[in-house]
Amino acid sequence: LGNEPNWAHTKMPAKTYVGLLAAFQRGVKRADPDVKVLIAGIAFIDLDYVEALYDAGAAPHFDIMNLHPYAFPAPHHRRG
């Protein structure tokens, strides 16, 4: 659902994204319980954002995490 909510064009708070993800997942699973839900591609493997998603309750609402490990010069997100 979506693309890079943690970066440039979107910059969506994790809590907001999880609300959308939960609603999307409920609807999709009602239509097809076997479908796999992918979380939006997280830009730059931003572990702080991934942790914020889990803290906001994302875990039960997706089946596959999608990370975008870019290598071009751009802001780097590092833990600690």
Side-chain angles (χ1 to χ4, degrees):
L1 172 66
N3 186 44
E4 300 178 349
N6 65 312
W7 195 58
H9 58 281
T10 309
K11 291 194 178 187
M12 185 180 299
K15 186 175 180 177
T16 301
Y17 180 78
V18 170
L20 293 172
L21 179 66
F24 176 79
Q25 185 258 354
R26 283 191 302 270
V28 168
K29 293 289 186 172
R30 259 194 309 263
D32 182 351
D34 296 324
V35 74
K36 300 295 182 202
V37 175
L38 279 72
I39 205 161
I42 305 302
F44 305 105
I45 309 179
D46 181 349
L47 297 180
D48 290 331
Y49 193 79
V50 170
E51 185 173 332
L53 291 172
Y54 277 102
D55 289 346
H61 304 296
F62 72 97
D63 302 296
I64 300 167
M65 181 163 289
N66 182 8
L67 302 173
H68 294 175
Y70 299 120
F72 63 84
H76 295 284
H77 299 277
R78 296 180 189 201
R79 293 177 62 103

